[in-house]
Amino acid sequence: MNISKEHLELLSKNFKSIDEVTREIINLEAILSLPKGTEHFISDIHGEYAAFDHILRNGSGVIKEKLKEIFENNLTANDINLLATIIYYPEDKLLLLKKEYANKDYKNLKKDLILNLLEVVKVAARKYTRSKVRKILPEGFSYIIEELIYKMEFNSDKQKYYDKIIETIFELDISETFIIKLSYSIQRLIVNHLHIVGDIYDRGPYPDKIMDRLIDYHSVDIQWGNHDMLWIGASCGDLVCIANVLRICARYDNLDIIEDRYGISLRNLLNVAELYYSDDECIEFLPKLTKYDKYSKREVLQIAKMHKAIAIIQFKLEKYFIDKYPEFNLSSRLLLDKIDYKTGNIQIGENNFKLSSCNFPTVDIENPYKLNKDEEILIEKLRESFVSSEKLRKHIDFMINSGAMYKCHNGNLLLHGCMPVDENGDFKGVNYKNKLYKGKEMLDFFDSKVRKAYYSKEQKGHGIFLYLWQGENSPLFGKKDMTTFERYFIDDKESHIELKNPYYKLRDREEFSKKLLKEFGLNEDGHIINGHTPVKATKGEDPIKANGRTIVIDGGMSKAYNKTTGHGGYTLTYNSYGLQIMKHDIFTSRDEAIKLETDIVSTRRVVDKNLNRKMIKDTDTGLELQNQIKVLKILLENYKSGEIREKNNIM
């Protein structure tokens, strides 16, 4: 390893002497021998905050399993359920227990909880150095917790000391605070890192809460999904993305996300909708309501009108981008000029279909893609509002900085959608300015274009956002066409079919999966972790494919998919012993989880078990540490030879 003297001189400012370098080398070498931390993989949350929050709190069942392991012979199943619920929801559960127990019993219960929680902290902390544990423990309590978890159990001389610590916690009336702090420390200790494999946004009601939760999470990365790409584009002021975001929010009765949470006024959209669709029942655009008594009939119709108004604006806006970037091959999505407005029929390819309705008051038959004056004013005002939303900017900043098109981590490839291929498994690509991008190079190209668009002063995506949302060879979409117009206006379901890329068949084959891993420079014993397509377990589909090389973890966390999948989603964990996939029951409510002490993990499967336990030296972090050790050893040699002087006494 060739390291310049300038580099070593800079490093010597942090490690100023032989003693300091030696201590750091010993420290890093020791860290390499610790077990790897647990990684947690979640995909396709789609705004379902309550289910996501519960899975995050219970670590996809990892915490419950750890409790069973620790207290197998000491606690009953009911006691373990109570302790688990305390760890998941400490504030809420303590509030219920306080009402349920008499004062003396409640104090004894809290004392037992503290002792058991300390035992969990002690076991969970074994994977980490003391310095890292100290950083994880809550400020103000770290010293006390350290004293209690690292106590010499057989040293009777200090037993009174430890008993006094517990007694003082109660005397100062901070026992509940102490339990709460311990519980959240356990959550952090059990799961070391979180991977979000795409699609935080759309369909569900609280994507903003999910983003706030992720921003506060201790260690996380994001692989962008096609729905996330719409919101990234919308925050940049991309008009088609803005229209799509609003259309989907209207469809799933989530316009309050836009108006109440992100502070973007929809008054102008309502005015345009009422002006042009006053006599339209907008049957095709009625929102998908989860609570049917939430609105009056008039309010439901208002949403439907807004839904239709923004959908027609979207279909018009697409024309500009599709014509400007013909290389993206999206012309099949231009359908407003294929309508016979007198007969109510539409020609799509070689097929002629009857429209369910043909009321398009804002469409000029001679120039069907031209926005009228009211639509132009509306969309420009919406652009200004999206771009100036501080909360949206904060969330998308985090998504850009913590996210990417894909991630290679610890031998695994995390990719939301797919790698576009032909029937033979050869990579397909996209032409951009006379250059063909395919395979890993295509994903790197898209990643770079998204970042440049987001950080440029103009924030222009040059059609990239639209293509990633619905392009035939978009790795975030993976279908030939997105039949949005057809699903609204044509009853014949033949027109709704969206042909999937051959990737979704080929990923069942181990040989193909190994080929894809190799494309990203990974060993063939790694795994491809996908989201994007709900696993239809009710029809016998298996999330583990290609002899364990490919794992699909979109199992339907979104309520919109529950009927299709028959369950509440898949998640994945990867600890020092291997990968485990969890299939979850459909989440009912936070209150039920707290009160009844229920969990939602229903099935756990080992994907492949490591013959040898993985240590930090076997991870990406371990490789970085080993490189640091090599550099430090070179610095040490230079100190010993006098090439670089120690700096202990230099002012």
Side-chain angles (χ1 to χ4, degrees):
M1 180 180 287
N2 293 320
I3 304 294
S4 69
K5 189 170 182 180
E6 290 79 7
H7 185 167
L8 293 172
E9 287 286 1
L10 286 172
L11 188 61
S12 70
K13 293 180 179 179
N14 291 326
F15 304 98
K16 299 178 180 181
S17 67
I18 289 175
D19 286 347
E20 287 187 15
V21 175
T22 303
R23 281 199 301 270
E24 185 64 10
I25 291 172
I26 293 170
N27 177 51
L28 295 180
E29 289 282 10
I31 290 172
L32 290 173
S33 300
L34 290 170
K36 80 174 283 297
T38 298
E39 299 171 57
H40 192 189
F41 303 78
I42 303 177
S43 166
D44 295 85
I45 307 162
H46 286 299
E48 297 293 347
Y49 175 74
F52 164 74
D53 181 56
H54 184 76
I55 287 171
L56 212 58
R57 287 171 182 268
N58 76 3
S60 282
V62 172
I63 290 176
K64 179 71 73 68
E65 290 302 311
K66 183 63 70 176
L67 297 184
K68 290 177 181 177
E69 177 188 316
I70 297 169
F71 300 108
E72 182 180 10
N73 300 317
N74 298 318
L75 294 180
T76 66
N78 288 339
D79 290 336
I80 287 174
N81 287 340
L82 171 60
L83 187 58
T85 307
I86 285 288
I87 293 170
Y88 306 160
Y89 302 100
E91 298 97 334
D92 303 87
K93 190 62 181 178
L94 286 172
L95 192 62
L96 288 178
L97 292 171
K98 191 172 186 176
K99 294 176 182 177
E100 183 180 339
Y101 283 79
N103 286 339
K104 185 178 180 181
D105 292 336
Y106 183 50
K107 181 179 179 180
N108 291 332
L109 175 65
K110 286 190 291 183
K111 187 173 288 187
D112 289 341
L113 286 172
I114 287 173
L115 294 174
N116 288 333
L117 289 170
L118 285 168
E119 186 66 24
V120 179
V121 171
K122 183 175 74 174
V123 173
R126 289 173 184 168
K127 280 190 174 185
Y128 306 101
T129 63
R130 282 201 180 189
S131 61
K132 182 165 183 177
V133 172
R134 195 175 299 120
K135 291 173 184 175
I136 291 172
L137 295 177
E139 190 176 350
F141 287 95
S142 59
Y143 171 76
I144 297 171
I145 296 172
E146 274 194 278
E147 283 288 293
L148 291 169
I149 65 173
Y150 293 125
K151 68 180 182 177
M152 298 297 291
E153 294 181 4
F154 300 106
N155 187 344
S156 59
D157 294 337
K158 290 190 83 174
Q159 188 59 51
K160 290 183 179 180
Y161 168 73
Y162 299 126
D163 290 342
K164 188 60 181 177
I165 291 176
I166 300 293
E167 184 183 325
T168 306
I169 287 171
F170 280 90
E171 287 175 358
L172 296 175
D173 197 22
I174 57 170
S175 56
E176 291 182 3
T177 302
F178 193 62
I179 289 170
I180 291 166
K181 298 289 186 182
L182 283 173
S183 297
Y184 285 120
S185 296
I186 290 167
Q187 290 184 28
R188 283 200 59 177
L189 287 163
I190 294 292
V191 174
N192 188 54
H193 186 79
L194 173 66
H195 305 283
I196 303 295
V197 194
D199 278 354
I200 293 166
Y201 280 87
D202 289 337
R203 294 192 174 91
Y206 298 111
D208 57 306
K209 285 188 177 182
I210 295 167
M211 290 304 299
D212 284 337
R213 187 85 158 83
L214 292 177
I215 289 170
D216 290 338
Y217 200 76
H218 55 275
S219 183
V220 62
D221 59 64
I222 299 168
Q223 290 71 60
W224 301 324
N226 59 327
H227 287 271
D228 303 323
M229 197 51 59
L230 281 183
W231 285 79
I232 293 172
S235 73
C236 290
D238 185 283
L239 298 180
V240 175
C241 289
I242 289 170
N244 265 294
V245 162
L246 289 171
R247 177 183 62 79
I248 295 169
C249 282
R251 180 175 177 80
Y252 290 95
D253 182 29
N254 288 325
L255 288 174
D256 58 326
I257 297 172
I258 304 293
E259 198 152 29
D260 298 339
R261 257 78 66 61
Y262 285 125
I264 297 168
S265 174
L266 298 178
R267 172 58 58 183
N268 292 322
L269 175 57
L270 176 60
N271 290 340
V272 169
E274 292 283 12
L275 176 63
Y276 289 98
Y277 300 97
S278 58
D279 298 325
D280 193 335
E281 294 183 353
C282 298
I283 293 172
E284 303 90 346
F285 293 88
L286 292 171
K288 294 179 180 293
L289 300 175
T290 53
K291 295 181 180 179
Y292 293 95
D293 59 348
K294 184 177 178 181
Y295 304 108
S296 66
K297 288 184 178 180
R298 177 176 169 276
E299 288 170 325
V300 172
L301 185 55
Q302 280 183 332
I303 296 171
K305 290 175 182 178
M306 294 166 75
H307 186 183
K308 184 169 184 177
I310 200 64
I312 301 304
I313 289 172
Q314 175 193 315
F315 299 142
K316 290 182 178 184
L317 288 169
E318 287 173 348
K319 169 74 169 173
Y320 170 79
F321 289 96
I322 291 170
D323 285 353
K324 188 170 182 180
Y325 304 101
E327 62 266 37
F328 289 155
N329 194 28
L330 288 168
S331 58
S332 63
R333 291 298 84 219
L334 298 178
L335 297 176
L336 292 180
D337 59 341
K338 310 299 188 300
I339 299 172
D340 184 330
Y341 290 90
K342 292 181 180 178
T343 64
N345 291 331
I346 185 169
Q347 188 73 30
I348 302 178
E350 297 179 358
N351 299 311
N352 193 277
F353 298 99
K354 182 71 176 178
L355 297 179
S356 56
S357 66
C358 194
N359 182 33
F360 299 97
T362 68
V363 173
D364 179 352
I365 296 176
E366 299 301 319
N367 192 358
Y369 297 101
K370 180 178 174 57
L371 296 172
N372 68 27
K373 193 64 178 176
D374 291 319
E375 290 172 323
E376 283 183 1
I377 294 170
L378 167 63
I379 200 66
E380 283 302 325
K381 286 184 176 179
L382 285 169
R383 185 212 293 264
E384 291 173 11
S385 297
F386 268 86
V387 171
S388 60
S389 171
E390 291 184 11
K391 187 171 183 179
L392 180 59
R393 183 73 185 187
K394 175 187 175 184
H395 287 170
I396 303 303
D397 270 344
F398 182 79
M399 182 173 285
I400 292 289
N401 291 323
S402 301
M405 287 292 298
Y406 68 93
K407 186 175 183 66
C408 296
H409 190 72
N410 289 339
N412 299 318
L413 171 62
L414 284 60
L415 175 64
H416 172 72
C418 70
M419 174 60 77
V421 292
D422 61 20
E423 295 288 346
N424 298 318
D426 295 324
F427 298 135
K428 293 179 71 176
V430 60
N431 277 294
Y432 190 80
K433 294 186 177 180
N434 299 318
K435 181 175 179 180
L436 177 65
Y437 297 89
K438 60 182 181 179
K440 177 180 179 295
E441 185 184 25
M442 180 178 72
L443 270 68
D444 290 334
F445 161 74
F446 281 132
D447 192 290
S448 175
K449 292 295 291 184
V450 169
R451 293 181 197 282
K452 286 179 180 177
Y454 188 73
Y455 287 114
S456 68
K457 291 181 180 179
E458 298 83 9
Q459 291 196 315
K460 290 183 179 178
H462 302 291
I464 292 295
F465 298 124
L466 176 63
Y467 189 81
L468 286 171
W469 164 242
Q470 64 178 64
E472 180 179 355
N473 292 327
S474 163
L476 304 185
F477 179 50
K479 298 177 184 177
K480 184 171 178 57
D481 274 316
M482 184 177 288
T483 56
T484 305
F485 181 95
E486 293 90 327
R487 290 169 184 270
Y488 281 124
F489 289 108
I490 302 173
D491 292 331
D492 189 339
K493 292 189 177 181
E494 283 295 313
S495 69
H496 301 179
I497 295 172
E498 298 175 343
L499 295 175
K500 289 184 178 180
N501 187 270
Y503 172 86
Y504 293 102
K505 290 182 179 178
L506 292 170
R507 70 179 178 182
D508 288 335
R509 302 179 187 175
E510 189 172 5
E511 183 181 350
F512 173 77
S513 295
K514 288 179 178 179
K515 173 185 174 180
L516 186 54
L517 288 165
K518 186 178 179 181
E519 170 71 7
F520 286 84
L522 300 172
N523 293 330
E524 62 180 30
D525 59 351
H527 307 82
I528 300 159
I529 300 167
N530 282 163
H532 190 53
T533 52
V535 178
K536 297 176 182 177
T538 53
K539 295 184 178 181
E541 185 180 358
D542 194 335
I544 302 174
K545 304 175 186 296
N547 196 26
R549 297 279 68 78
T550 296
I551 306 162
V552 184
I553 59 170
D554 178 7
M557 191 179 296
S558 170
K559 290 180 181 177
Y561 291 140
N562 287 164
K563 289 182 180 179
T564 304
T565 62
H567 54 86
Y570 288 99
T571 58
L572 189 72
T573 61
Y574 181 23
N575 62 19
S576 57
Y577 292 105
L579 287 128
Q580 292 183 313
I581 189 167
M582 276 65 68
K583 184 174 79 172
H584 300 280
D585 296 331
I586 295 170
F587 186 72
T588 51
S589 73
R590 175 191 173 101
D591 289 343
E592 185 174 308
I594 296 166
K595 186 176 181 180
L596 302 181
E597 300 171 6
T598 57
D599 235 323
I600 63 170
V601 177
S602 56
T603 308
R604 177 185 299 272
R605 289 171 61 190
V606 175
V607 177
D608 58 3
K609 192 169 183 178
N610 296 316
L611 295 177
N612 298 309
R613 192 179 189 189
K614 275 192 176 290
M615 301 297 170
I616 287 178
K617 66 181 175 62
D618 304 311
T619 67
D620 293 348
T621 299
L623 290 175
E624 292 174 10
L625 294 180
Q626 289 172 65
N627 285 330
Q628 289 177 32
I629 290 168
K630 288 177 183 178
V631 175
L632 286 168
K633 285 182 175 179
I634 293 171
L635 176 61
L636 183 61
E637 290 174 6
N638 277 261
Y639 273 146
K640 288 180 176 179
S641 68
E643 288 291 320
I644 293 178
R645 290 184 297 167
E646 295 183 81
K647 297 175 174 57
N648 273 344
N649 300 318
I650 298 175
M651 298 299 292

